[in-house]
Amino acid sequence: MVRTIGRSTIDSVRYLGRLSIFTTTATMLIFTRPLKFRRILEHLYFIGFLSVFVVSLTAFFTGMVLGLQGYNSLSKIGSEGLLGSTVALSLIRELGPVLAALMITGRAGSAIAANIGAMRVSEQIDALDTMDINPIKFLVSPRIVAALISVPLLTAIFDLVGIFGGYVSGVVMLGVSPGSFINSMLTYTDLNDVISGLVKPVFFGFAMATICCYRGFYCDTLRPGTRGAEAVSLATTSAVVTVSVVILVSDYVLTALLM
Amino acid sequence: METPIIQLVDVHKRFGDTVVLDGVTFDIDSGSITTIIGKSGTGKSVLLKHIIGLMTPDSGDILFKGRSILSMSKVDRSRLRSQIGYLFQSVALFDSMTVFDNVALPLREKTARNEKEIKHLVEEILTKLEIADTAKKYPAEISGGMRKRVGLARALITKPKVVLFDEPTSGLDPIRRNAVHSMIAHMQGKFAFSAVIVSHEIPEVFYLSHKIVMLHGGMVYANGTPDEIMTTDDPVVRGFIRGTDAETDDITGMLKRHSIIDRLLDTQIFSTDTDDTCNFVVFKIENLDAINEQLGFIEGQKCCQQVARKIDSKLSSIGDSSKYSDDIIVVMVPDEALERAHSLINVMSREMCEGDNPENGETLRCTLSVRICTSVGHDSIDEVVKGAAGETQMITRVHI
């Protein structure tokens, strides 16, 4: 029992140590020459642009559900007029950053882990090493930059589309006054809410990119004796689960700090 | 004496309880082709990964031009890697990049060349390796043989001093296998790099190698020239070579070189008179290099195949024919059949020239020389074939 606890503690510390070194190296390499903007653009397209549809779809229905639930609750105390602020604050401060980050992790993060993992098992990362091309700078750093840019932008899209979904549900379908919806939203939402809602996705994007890249990069060490496709699938699952947990736990911490 | 370009000194490596390398020591000479052979799992690929620095030994040292790689600074090690090319067994091309981008990658990332120069260099090497038409394709869209050539192009594009080949012909058909071997020999001759090849293709790989290193039990078990390894009496080496080696050549269907060597040795052993002779008709494609260069390595191999079939169909009734090297075919002829061999060669020469069209001056023709060599006593077949021993008589030279 003690041995098991001790071993898992050592493994966790070792994992955190390696992840820290990996993250620090990848971050530092962002600022070293040569700067390859084209590669960053490619990843921006993949992580950002290709996620717009799924993020918007999720946001729209989340907003609609918020509008529906909010209307039901608020109408009991005769405060339907506050629906706009309820929807907007829920989305901007909490649901937008968290749900957008989870959706991006599911779509792009899993692909990042699988892609880099496949490169590891097919010796493509070794090939980069033999050509004296730093694989972390080549594969990880551009993805981190792309995630740092695209996750906040996608979160902003999530917020806007979600608010629109709440408007459709509350105003168009349930008959709340459009003026009171918009007025309450503008009255009760201040700049701090927006800043808080955009700081979180920066952190989530960074965590998503580094953890997914790390899992893929070291997929062959995740479980002893695991190789090939099995290692890639394990790395992908592990990356998505880890990032999701990190997002939810860190959301609480960040909320407490930013309040 | 020139310092070897790479020296492995007492290299040990273990994975868990498994000892893979147990004191490996040997040298790789500059400008030569060294081939590492051995059973699967004896650490051949691991050894290559130690040379390139993808793995570090548990103990021992690896020297590059006399300097320890292990104690080199990061900058020096980086400089060293830029001088070594590596062709992976799996080729390890980047799936998301076209063939052109794969080959251009080391130039784009590690040199200051502009895109125009890069385009010129990449197109040049793709043309040389006969894969220019695949430039815009992705690795998944081309055949295994082409992928190998793309890998080779990527390994050679920076003109490295050392190229490491990890089973460069695995998974290829016989013609392409031989074409890749010819290509390696040709490129090595042209760029004068030092090559280290891990291969199971015995004896084909012996034709192009200057030195053979056999790993066994984690150590260097045998180390010598191809002829020394081929003719050794050591039962482990002989067992390994014979075990991996089919009796006949895949392309020509003829006996392989070791068979004709064995037969000559048998003749010499059972011969009571030291003046007993043994005759060989030696066919040599004089311009195989030019054919490879101008028409491509696959065409070169097809030419060898056609010549071999013709020879076999004419001379198989009078002696055993054997593919001696990439461009030499040897037929062992007993004394009593020598006369008949002469007349059959004449008939064959005439038949081969029948399809010749002198007006078509632009077509490159295969030049085949035919000699009859006679060994006396215990002359080695190598000396006889090279004309350095015994008697040699030039019979004819035909353009096919």
Side-chain angles (χ1 to χ4, degrees):
Chain A
M1 176 74 175
V2 173
R3 183 175 289 178
T4 312
I5 294 169
R7 184 160 299 281
S8 68
T9 307
I10 290 168
D11 287 346
S12 304
V13 171
R14 187 175 291 157
Y15 166 70
L16 284 174
R18 287 179 70 175
L19 178 62
S20 305
I21 293 168
F22 180 83
T23 306
T24 311
T25 310
T27 310
M28 284 167 63
L29 287 171
I30 292 171
F31 305 102
T32 58
R33 286 177 173 277
L35 304 167
K36 299 280 180 178
F37 291 108
R38 190 189 155 85
R39 204 165 299 133
I40 294 171
L41 281 177
E42 285 169 8
H43 294 301
L44 268 176
Y45 173 79
F46 179 76
I47 300 172
F49 184 75
L50 294 182
S51 301
V52 169
F53 177 74
V54 71
V55 164
S56 302
L57 192 73
T58 315
F60 185 73
F61 286 101
T62 305
M64 284 190 78
V65 169
L66 272 179
L68 192 62
Q69 291 283 16
Y71 179 83
N72 279 338
S73 304
L74 293 169
S75 63
K76 286 176 188 165
I77 53 170
S79 304
E80 300 93 336
L82 294 174
L83 184 64
S85 60
T86 308
V87 170
L89 284 174
S90 308
L91 282 168
I92 291 170
R93 292 173 75 155
E94 292 303 329
L95 290 177
V98 172
L99 287 181
L102 289 176
M103 291 311 296
I104 298 164
T105 302
R107 202 205 71 78
S110 57
I112 289 172
N115 181 245
I116 295 180
M119 290 183 79
R120 166 64 73 193
V121 298
S122 61
E123 296 183 306
Q124 292 175 44
I125 292 178
D126 287 343
L128 287 172
D129 261 327
T130 62
M131 289 184 267
D132 193 33
I133 298 169
N134 188 323
I136 296 182
K137 178 164 176 62
F138 188 80
L139 298 171
V140 182
S141 301
R143 285 178 165 93
I144 292 178
V145 175
L148 284 173
I149 296 168
S150 37
V151 177
L153 287 175
L154 287 166
T155 304
I157 292 172
F158 191 102
D159 293 345
L160 289 173
V161 177
I163 290 168
F164 177 68
Y167 183 89
V168 170
S169 147
V171 176
V172 179
M173 295 166 72
L174 298 169
V176 174
S177 149
S180 63
F181 185 94
I182 292 167
N183 191 41
S184 78
M185 187 174 74
L186 294 175
T187 306
Y188 292 105
T189 310
D190 59 29
L191 189 63
N192 280 340
D193 298 321
V194 178
I195 290 171
S196 155
L198 289 177
V199 168
K200 285 180 184 176
V202 173
F203 177 81
F204 295 159
F206 184 74
M208 187 270 290
T210 49
I211 293 171
C212 290
C213 288
Y214 176 84
R215 284 300 197 199
F217 204 86
Y218 294 112
C219 69
D220 52 347
T221 59
L222 202 56
R223 188 186 291 169
T226 313
R227 291 279 183 277
E230 197 186 353
V232 177
S233 69
L234 265 178
T236 309
T237 308
S238 161
V240 173
V241 171
T242 309
V243 175
S244 302
V245 170
V246 166
I247 286 170
L248 294 170
V249 172
S250 62
D251 181 51
Y252 174 79
V253 177
L254 287 169
T255 304
L257 289 172
L258 293 167
M259 250 182 170
Chain B
M1 201 175 116
E2 197 182 350
T3 311
I5 192 155
I6 292 169
Q7 292 167 280
L8 289 102
V9 185
D10 197 26
V11 174
H12 288 77
K13 183 74 178 179
R14 63 162 62 220
F15 296 107
D17 296 333
T18 313
V19 177
V20 180
L21 304 176
D22 193 13
V24 170
T25 301
F26 71 91
D27 298 342
I28 294 160
D29 298 324
S30 186
S32 70
I33 299 180
T34 303
T35 297
I36 303 171
I37 60 171
K39 290 178 190 164
S40 296
T42 49
K44 304 184 293 297
S45 299
V46 169
L47 202 60
L48 286 193
K49 287 180 179 172
H50 277 82
I51 295 172
I52 191 82
L54 288 174
M55 288 180 178
T56 46
D58 296 336
S59 64
D61 207 352
I62 299 162
L63 312 177
F64 182 79
K65 289 183 180 171
R67 279 189 67 199
S68 168
I69 292 175
L70 304 175
S71 57
M72 275 182 186
S73 68
K74 219 174 173 182
V75 176
D76 285 346
R77 208 180 282 196
S78 165
R79 209 169 286 150
L80 165 72
R81 279 193 182 173
S82 62
Q83 296 179 52
I84 303 180
Y86 195 113
L87 177 63
F88 283 82
Q89 192 176 346
S90 62
V91 192
L93 297 177
F94 300 104
D95 311 321
S96 57
M97 293 182 195
T98 61
V99 164
F100 183 95
D101 290 337
N102 262 288
V103 179
L105 184 69
L107 296 176
R108 284 182 179 147
E109 293 292 323
K110 302 307 294 181
T111 68
R113 291 178 193 276
N114 62 38
E115 201 56 32
K116 196 177 166 188
E117 285 176 297
I118 291 172
K119 188 170 185 284
H120 171 73
L121 287 169
V122 173
E123 283 175 352
E124 187 183 48
I125 199 155
L126 291 181
T127 307
K128 267 184 197 152
L129 295 174
E130 304 163 51
I131 43 172
D133 53 339
T134 64
K136 288 181 180 165
K137 291 184 176 169
Y138 286 89
E141 297 173 320
I142 57 176
S143 68
M146 284 175 173
R147 275 203 289 275
K148 290 273 183 196
R149 278 181 278 167
V150 176
L152 188 60
R154 190 177 67 182
L156 296 177
I157 190 80
T158 51
K159 298 192 169 53
K161 288 196 169 62
V162 181
V163 185
L164 311 176
F165 300 90
D166 193 354
E167 299 199 24
T169 55
S170 60
L172 299 183
D173 62 70
I175 290 216
R176 280 176 177 77
R177 208 163 58 209
N178 279 273
V180 169
H181 285 145
S182 298
M183 201 160 62
I184 292 171
H186 183 80
M187 291 292 178
Q188 195 272 337
K190 194 161 188 172
F191 297 118
F193 54 76
S194 310
V196 184
I197 306 173
V198 164
S199 181
H200 289 288
E201 310 297 347
I202 298 169
E204 288 91 339
V205 80
F206 281 38
Y207 303 150
L208 61 129
S209 306
H210 301 106
K211 184 175 178 179
I212 305 290
V213 174
M214 181 178 164
L215 292 186
H216 184 72
M219 289 182 283
V220 174
Y221 189 84
N223 183 350
T225 65
D227 286 335
E228 285 167 354
I229 299 291
M230 240 0 185
T231 53
T232 181
D233 292 332
D234 188 288
V236 175
V237 179
R238 286 182 75 86
F240 174 72
I241 291 173
R242 299 296 187 267
T244 56
D245 187 13
E247 191 70 1
T248 55
D249 179 67
D250 289 325
I251 292 184
T252 59
M254 291 178 167
L255 292 171
K256 285 188 178 173
R257 175 178 165 156
H258 71 79
S259 306
I260 208 91
I261 293 173
D262 285 352
R263 280 171 205 207
L264 176 64
L265 287 172
D266 287 346
T267 311
Q268 288 170 343
I269 288 164
F270 290 112
S271 165
T272 48
D273 188 345
T274 51
D275 289 334
D276 274 357
T277 59
C278 195
N279 309 298
F280 300 97
V281 183
V282 180
F283 295 87
K284 182 171 187 195
I285 301 173
E286 299 279 358
N287 59 343
L288 186 60
D289 274 348
I291 294 170
N292 282 335
E293 187 136 335
Q294 292 180 37
L295 302 178
F297 294 95
I298 291 176
E299 286 307 314
Q301 289 305 312
K302 284 180 180 167
C303 171
C304 296
Q305 191 178 37
Q306 282 174 12
V307 169
R309 281 180 183 163
K310 193 78 186 168
I311 293 167
D312 206 32
S313 68
K314 284 289 167 205
L315 301 183
S316 59
S317 58
I318 56 163
D320 292 324
S321 37
S322 154
K323 184 174 175 185
Y324 185 78
S325 69
D326 218 17
D327 55 355
I328 295 178
I329 288 167
V330 171
V331 184
M332 197 171 168
V333 182
D335 282 342
E336 58 275 17
L338 207 51
E339 195 93 342
R340 186 161 158 66
H342 271 281
S343 61
L344 285 172
I345 291 165
N346 286 333
V347 171
M348 197 179 81
S349 308
R350 278 200 301 276
E351 283 179 10
M352 280 180 158
C353 294
E354 269 173 14
D356 184 20
N357 177 8
E359 286 173 17
N360 189 0
E362 289 181 10
T363 308
L364 181 68
R365 285 142 57 183
C366 170
T367 305
L368 184 71
S369 69
V370 189
R371 289 178 294 137
I372 291 187
C373 306
T374 305
S375 79
V376 182
H378 290 86
D379 291 339
S380 86
I381 192 165
D382 282 325
E383 291 169 331
V384 174
V385 169
K386 284 173 192 161
E391 293 167 14
T392 297
Q393 182 189 358
M394 174 63 84
I395 301 298
T396 185
R397 177 180 270 122
V398 289
H399 302 288
I400 308 166

